[in-house]
Amino acid sequence: MAKRSTLIANLDRWFSKYMRLKYAVNGKVSCYTCGVVKDWKSMQNGHFQTRAKYSVRWHESNTRPQCPRCNISNGGRQYEFGLRLNEEKPGLADEMVRLGNQTRKFTNQEILELTAKYRDLTKRLLDA
C-alpha cells in the first residue's frame, strides 16, 4: 500500500477536482468569496475551516471553489466564506466550526474509499 501521505494527496486531488466541477457551469466557476468567474481548472478548492482539521477536510459543506487570490493571498477570506455558508443554510458556518473542532482520524481504508467515491463522481461530471 502507498504511504499515508500519498493516499491523502490523492484524495485531496480528486476531492478538489470534484468540488470545482460540481459548481461549474459550462466549464466556468465563480469564486465563492469574490465572485470572479474563471475556468474550473484555474480555481482552487477553498476551505472554510482549514484543511488541517481532518474532521472537515473532505466535508463538502466546508469547501467551495475559490480563486487563488482569495484562497492563498487573502487567507481564504474566512469571514466572507462563513457569511456565504450561512446564506445557503442558516447556522452552517457554526456547524462547520463545531465539526472542525472534533478529532477525526481516517483509516487508510476510509481514505481509499473516499478517493474512489470522488474519482467516480468527478469522472461522471467530466463525462456529462
Side-chain angles (χ1 to χ4, degrees), residues 3-98:
K3 289 178 17 181
R4 184 170 178 83
S5 60
T6 302
L7 296 177
I8 289 169
N10 196 32
L11 173 51
D12 283 342
R13 186 170 54 87
W14 284 109
F15 183 72
S16 174
K17 281 184 182 180
Y18 171 72
M19 289 303 295
R20 290 175 288 141
L21 279 165
K22 176 181 176 179
Y23 291 95
V25 177
N26 297 324
K28 302 287 185 189
V29 67
S30 102
C31 176
Y32 194 64
T33 47
C34 78
V36 68
V37 177
K38 295 184 178 189
D39 184 89
W40 74 269
K41 292 178 183 176
S42 66
M43 297 294 253
Q44 298 176 349
N45 185 40
H47 290 71
F48 172 59
Q49 292 292 287
T50 175
R51 288 174 11 133
K53 296 183 175 190
Y54 278 81
S55 55
V56 291
R57 184 175 182 139
W58 303 295
H59 196 299
E60 290 185 32
S61 293
N62 187 55
T63 67
R64 295 290 185 279
Q66 280 188 303
C67 67
R69 183 170 172 252
C70 285
N71 194 33
I72 303 295
S73 302
N74 292 326
R77 294 181 67 175
Q78 187 182 37
Y79 179 75
E80 292 90 345
F81 204 125
L83 290 177
R84 291 284 318 273
L85 287 176
N86 285 334
E87 287 173 9
E88 286 182 32
K89 179 183 171 192
L92 184 54
D94 285 342
E95 181 183 346
M96 290 300 103
V97 169
R98 184 182 55 74

Side-chain angles (χ1 to χ4, degrees), residues 82-118:
L83 290 177
R84 291 284 318 273
L85 287 176
N86 285 334
E87 287 173 9
E88 286 182 32
K89 179 183 171 192
L92 184 54
D94 285 342
E95 181 183 346
M96 290 300 103
V97 169
R98 184 182 55 74
L99 287 174
N101 288 329
Q102 295 176 0
T103 301
R104 173 75 161 91
K105 178 151 171 84
F106 288 84
T107 66
N108 287 352
Q109 184 60 39
E110 288 174 313
I111 292 169
L112 288 168
E113 289 168 5
L114 284 170
T115 301
K117 171 186 173 179
Y118 286 107

